[in-house]
Amino acid sequence: LLLHLKRVTASQQVFLKAIQLSPKSHLGYFYLGKTYEEDGKSREAKKQYREAISKNTNFESAYQALSKLLEADGEASKAIELYENYLMVANFPDKKFKQELVRLLISQKEFDRALGKLEEMLEENPGELNIQVRRALIFAEKKEPERGIEELW
C-alpha cells in the first residue's frame, strides 16, 4: 500500500524489516526491488530481484521484473540469458514469457534462435496461426520470403 501511495522510503523500510524477520522469503526481496525501481535505483532493484530469484528459482515475477530492467538498461543479452535460464527451471512457464523471449531475440536480430523457440512453441501448440505468422515474418526479415510463405501453407 505504501508503495502505491508513492511513499517509497517508508516502503523500503517495511521491506527491509520483512527481510530481517524472514530472510529466506523471496517476497521481501522482490518488493524491496520494486521500491528501488520506483525510486529510479535500477542497480539496487536488480540486486534485489536477483536475490528473490536465488530464494525461489521459479518466481516468474522476479524474472520478468529483472529482465525488463536489464533490457531498459541496454543489457538485452543478459535479459535473454535470464529468460532462457528461467525456462530451464520453470515447471509450467507462462506462454507470454516465451513470447517475450522471442521478442527480445528478434530485437537483437537473433533470428535463428527466435525461430528455434517458435518451433518449440509450435510443437507444444501445433497449428497455432500466431506462431506460424511470426515465423513467416522472421523469414521475410531474413530475406527468405519463400520460406515465410511455406510457413503459412
Side-chain angles (χ1 to χ4, degrees):
L1 179 63
L2 292 172
L3 187 56
H4 292 290
L5 295 173
K6 304 295 182 196
R7 295 187 54 202
V8 176
T9 303
S11 297
Q12 289 170 348
Q13 292 170 351
V14 167
F15 293 120
L16 285 167
K17 185 66 174 174
I19 289 169
Q20 283 180 335
L21 295 173
S22 186
K24 293 181 181 179
S25 173
H26 60 285
L27 293 175
Y29 296 99
F30 175 74
Y31 286 110
L32 182 58
K34 285 288 189 193
T35 67
Y36 285 133
E37 186 176 352
E38 181 72 27
D39 205 15
K41 297 178 179 175
S42 177
R43 190 171 78 185
E44 291 87 348
K46 287 188 271 188
K47 179 181 176 186
Q48 298 307 316
Y49 293 145
R50 284 187 179 101
E51 191 63 31
I53 290 168
S54 77
K55 304 292 181 197
N56 179 351
T57 57
N58 282 308
F59 190 30
E60 189 170 292
S61 295
Y63 282 94
Q64 288 174 326
L66 179 54
S67 295
K68 288 187 188 306
L69 274 182
L70 289 168
E71 183 180 10
D73 289 347
E75 300 178 273
S77 62
K78 289 182 180 179
I80 289 169
E81 182 180 339
L82 188 68
Y83 275 119
E84 290 176 328
N85 288 343
Y86 173 71
L87 291 172
M88 285 191 291
V89 300
N91 295 327
F92 301 102
D94 189 311
K95 176 180 163 183
K96 290 179 183 178
F97 208 85
K98 293 177 183 180
Q99 291 170 339
E100 188 63 18
L101 171 58
V102 169
R103 184 196 63 77
L104 262 176
L105 288 167
I106 292 169
S107 76
Q108 298 302 298
K109 307 263 187 247
E110 295 193 34
F111 299 126
D112 291 331
R113 288 175 68 191
L115 287 167
K117 292 295 174 190
L118 287 168
E119 183 65 33
E120 291 172 16
M121 292 169 68
L122 203 51
E123 288 172 10
E124 295 169 5
N125 301 291
E128 186 170 321
L129 185 59
N130 183 40
I131 297 171
Q132 292 170 321
V133 168
R134 236 169 170 193
R135 284 178 53 85
L137 291 171
I138 292 172
F139 282 119
E141 186 72 25
K142 287 181 63 173
K143 311 290 186 235
E144 300 177 33
E146 296 83 17
R147 287 195 63 194
I149 292 168
E150 288 173 16
E151 280 294 313
L152 299 174
W153 296 105

